[in-house]
Amino acid sequence: MHGFRAEQCLDGVQADILVVGADGLDPEKGITTFNEGYAITGVMAKCVKKVIAVVDSTKLGRIGFNQVLDIARIDVLVIDEGISPEDKARFEQCGVQVVVV
């Protein structure tokens, strides 16, 4: 679900963790997408204590038209071994814990 009704349903919800994917991920732009209906992710992120982004390395440096989440809102990045040491360091400098799997 997405849209206003879905966002309304989350009013007052509290959770510990949100796991989110991405069309694109960049240390400066955060999570981005080329799709509509992305606002629900921002609403869900406001309801949780921790945001975990699970992304494959092909999404790095890819920047969509719409910003889904600012990099400051991402606590943990789970990513494959395709991430370069430089990119890993850039995310860590932004305060993101990087877990390579």
Side-chain angles (χ1 to χ4, degrees), residues 3-23:
F4 178 72
R5 291 276 185 230
E7 293 170 27
Q8 268 186 321
C9 291
L10 293 171
D11 188 36
V13 170
Q14 296 287 315
D16 292 327
I17 299 171
L18 169 65
V19 178
V20 63
D23 290 333

Side-chain angles (χ1 to χ4, degrees), residues 4-84:
F4 178 72
R5 291 276 185 230
E7 293 170 27
Q8 268 186 321
C9 291
L10 293 171
D11 188 36
V13 170
Q14 296 287 315
D16 292 327
I17 299 171
L18 169 65
V19 178
V20 63
D23 290 333
L25 180 63
D26 182 83
E28 294 177 18
K29 302 291 183 183
I31 294 177
T32 61
T33 186
F34 298 97
N35 301 313
E36 295 182 26
Y38 59 90
I40 190 71
T41 304
V43 174
M44 290 188 300
K46 291 178 183 174
C47 300
V48 300
K49 297 176 184 174
K50 181 182 277 190
V51 175
I52 300 174
V54 180
V55 180
D56 69 89
S57 59
T58 65
K59 308 300 194 232
L60 294 176
R62 189 172 176 209
I63 300 172
F65 303 124
N66 304 305
Q67 185 181 42
V68 177
L69 286 178
D70 187 83
I71 196 67
R73 192 59 192 98
I74 302 168
D75 300 296
V76 179
L77 169 61
V78 178
I79 192 160
D80 62 85
E81 294 176 340
I83 188 171
S84 69

Side-chain angles (χ1 to χ4, degrees), residues 27 71-72 85-98:
I71 196 67
E86 296 81 18
D87 281 340
K88 183 176 184 280
R90 288 176 62 205
F91 283 104
E92 291 172 338
Q93 288 170 354
C94 293
V96 178
Q97 175 188 355
V98 180

